[in-house]
Amino acid sequence: MDIVHPLARLVDEMDLATKFWNARHGLFKGAVPTDRLITENDIQDMLDAGLLRWPYFTLLKEGQQPELSAFTTPRKVAGQYVKGFADARKVRELLADGATMKLSQLEDWHQPIRAVMDAIEARLPAELKAYVFYTPCDNTGMLPHRDGSHVLALQLAGAKEWTIYDAPDQIDSRPGLDVDPNSRSHTFVMEPGDVLYLPHGFPHVATARGGTSLHLTLTITEPGPADLVEAFLTTFAGEIAAGDALAADTVAALRAHLEFVDSRVLVDTAVATMRKRTV
């Protein structure tokens, strides 16, 4: 029998889809064990192995990325020099100077995190992406901002102070940096095993406290209007291919399809397409 990761079970237990979704943030203290995901030692080993390459990682300090040459180096691959490989010495110097190391698209190359995402995707009709933030003490990787997705964050090691800006005039479905730091907010510290849910478009900022912080962020993106239109045309094309009678009058067929297509089919088709995206 498959063992479901506790982070995926929490999605059911906290009834995320009905109690919190697009309504309010939720902080769940000590909710999930952090073993068998990713550790600081794992990240250090990745640096030493020399295979980590931009854009699967980057360095950020208060939202700014240094020039690529400041933390990467070319390596010879199959007889040709390829740019963008992590330079362990340069990366560690930037970390010592307060930069955050961000690992991206872990769903493509980190099996334990991919398994967690698979279990959550089985519960939510959305596309998930995974990021890990490795932040030195009293530093901030990103300025106050909004993500264009829901956010599920798990603190893996150390502690991070989060500030959530939830004044109605600060919440916006579009990603951005136009956040008023003096607006209504909530501040709390996340420790290993704590889980945070943020609705789509809630501004926030996070700063490492008391030592180095390591946390996993999953972005959860629902189908938007463009995704649903694409799904509508995909399902319509399937019907046209299946029956010549529909092809006789495309406009009438489109109207009929719009009236009778199952909304659940549209969402499922859109989500399946989104999950196949490579960027």
Side-chain angles (χ1 to χ4, degrees):
M1 182 176 68
D2 292 338
I3 299 175
V4 177
H5 192 276
L7 185 57
R9 288 204 305 269
L10 186 66
V11 171
D12 296 330
E13 293 167 0
M14 68 184 180
D15 202 4
L16 179 68
T18 59
K19 290 185 178 179
F20 295 91
W21 202 254
N22 264 339
R24 58 191 175 98
H25 76 271
L27 177 62
F28 309 93
K29 301 291 290 183
V32 173
T34 61
D35 57 334
R36 297 191 300 277
L37 283 176
I38 192 169
T39 67
E40 180 177 353
N41 286 338
D42 293 335
I43 293 174
Q44 295 293 343
D45 289 344
M46 290 177 196
L47 283 175
D48 290 331
L51 298 178
L52 195 58
R53 188 181 176 206
W54 186 88
Y56 290 98
F57 88 105
T58 192
L59 276 294
L60 297 167
K61 188 172 183 180
E62 296 186 348
Q64 298 297 313
Q65 176 189 280
E67 294 291 331
L68 285 181
S69 60
F71 60 91
T72 66
T73 188
R75 291 188 59 190
K76 203 168 187 180
V77 179
Q80 295 185 337
Y81 279 98
V82 179
K83 297 180 180 180
F85 287 95
D87 185 310
R89 179 185 59 81
K90 292 178 180 179
V91 169
R92 289 183 173 120
E93 287 177 354
L94 287 168
L95 287 169
D97 193 43
T100 289
M101 185 175 182
K102 177 185 177 184
L103 304 178
S104 302
Q105 295 177 238
L106 283 93
E107 65 277 2
D108 292 338
W109 56 275
H110 193 275
Q111 195 280 329
I113 290 176
R114 175 69 258 179
V116 175
M117 295 173 64
D118 286 342
I120 295 174
E121 285 185 340
R123 289 158 168 76
L124 297 175
E127 173 197 32
L128 270 67
K129 295 291 183 184
Y131 307 88
V132 165
F133 294 86
Y134 179 45
T135 306
C137 182
D138 295 327
N139 282 276
T140 302
M142 301 178 71
L143 295 172
H145 65 282
R146 292 185 305 270
D147 291 307
S149 308
H150 303 262
V151 169
L152 197 61
L154 167 62
Q155 189 69 24
L156 297 171
K160 208 153 200 181
E161 180 182 84
W162 287 70
T163 299
I164 311 301
Y165 305 93
D166 63 353
D169 63 342
Q170 296 299 301
I171 299 169
D172 193 316
S173 61
R174 296 166 297 180
L177 297 171
D178 54 328
V179 178
D180 180 1
N182 297 313
S183 64
R184 187 182 72 196
S185 63
H186 302 276
T187 299
F188 48 85
V189 174
M190 290 182 64
E191 298 174 324
D194 294 350
V195 176
L196 171 67
Y197 164 73
L198 285 181
H200 186 179
F202 270 48
H204 57 279
V205 65
T207 302
R209 296 300 187 200
T212 301
S213 165
L214 185 67
H215 84 265
L216 167 68
T217 286
L218 301 178
T219 59
I220 306 171
T221 306
E222 298 175 284
D227 300 307
L228 294 172
V229 168
E230 182 180 356
F232 173 79
L233 293 176
T234 297
T235 55
F236 175 69
E239 289 197 4
I240 287 292
D244 292 338
L246 286 174
D249 187 340
T250 302
V251 173
L254 278 166
R255 288 174 176 168
H257 187 65
L258 181 62
E259 182 177 356
F260 294 109
V261 66
D262 190 328
S263 60
R264 291 171 297 182
V265 171
L266 284 184
V267 171
D268 290 346
T269 302
V271 169
T273 300
M274 292 165 66
R275 290 176 180 174
K276 293 176 183 176
R277 292 189 296 206
T278 56
V279 294

